Amino acid sequence: MTTRSISTNKPAKTLSTSTALILALSVALAGCAGREARPVASTNPTDSAFDCAGITREFEANERQITSTVKERTDAQGKNIVLGATGVLLFLPALFFMDPKSPEKVEIDALRNRNNVLTSIARSKGCPAPKSQLTELYKHLDSKPKPASSSDSRN
């Protein structure tokens, strides 16, 4: 009669190898999370060549880009919420896929600054100031709570 030796080390070794592989993959992919901000410049060398129609066209194009970027930002925030909840409750490596940066905010602020410059250029050229179609959106963006500074805390 032959006896077989049952190795109990193999399943534990496989488990630790697969766990290490998952963690390594998560860390490697975490570097891919998010993107860098691509803000527009507030002024351009060709600003002096604009006519009234050109100022209005660029102003409106910037507002379309702001709307698109706000949607992207909302989607990114929703994704971060889902990943955060998943990471805390079910799968810890999901936290590596969250995007802690907020490139959309930088881009929105840059586009708003550019539109302020375009409005100034329009006034200086005697053109009617471009009218924003996003005043409600701007109110919503500006009403976001700001982090409390140390001077706001009272003892």
Side-chain angles (χ1 to χ4, degrees):
M1 178 178 357
T2 60
T3 60
R4 291 187 181 180
S5 169
I6 300 175
S7 173
T8 58
N9 291 339
K10 190 169 183 174
K13 187 176 180 183
T14 304
L15 180 63
S16 65
T17 302
S18 63
T19 302
L21 181 62
I22 289 171
L23 286 174
L25 183 61
S26 297
V27 170
L29 291 176
C32 300
R35 64 175 180 80
E36 291 298 316
R38 296 179 301 270
V40 298
S42 294
T43 59
N44 290 325
T46 59
D47 284 349
S48 61
F50 271 134
D51 60 352
C52 295
I55 292 169
T56 302
R57 277 192 306 272
E58 184 169 346
F59 187 92
E60 290 170 352
N62 288 346
E63 287 207 330
R64 285 190 301 273
Q65 184 62 41
I66 288 170
T67 303
S68 172
T69 307
V70 166
K71 182 183 180 324
E72 181 183 343
R73 181 179 182 194
T74 302
D75 292 346
Q77 288 172 336
K79 183 183 115 189
N80 279 345
I81 290 169
V82 169
L83 287 172
T86 302
V88 169
L89 299 175
L90 300 173
F91 187 63
L92 189 62
L95 295 174
F96 289 113
F97 295 98
M98 292 179 65
D99 184 8
K101 305 174 202 167
S102 186
E104 299 88 4
K105 180 177 178 358
V106 172
E107 292 171 0
I108 291 167
D109 290 344
L111 288 164
R112 288 179 73 181
N113 288 338
R114 176 66 179 152
N115 278 355
N116 289 337
V117 169
L118 290 171
T119 301
S120 296
I121 293 170
R123 285 191 189 117
S124 70
K125 292 191 173 221
C127 303
K131 298 289 182 207
S132 175
Q133 303 298 314
L134 303 178
T135 53
E136 289 301 316
L137 177 63
Y138 292 154
K139 286 179 188 175
H140 177 72
L141 289 173
D142 294 339
S143 70
K144 295 285 183 184
K146 306 262 190 278
S149 67
S150 59
S151 62
D152 291 341
S153 61
R154 298 185 185 171
N155 295 339

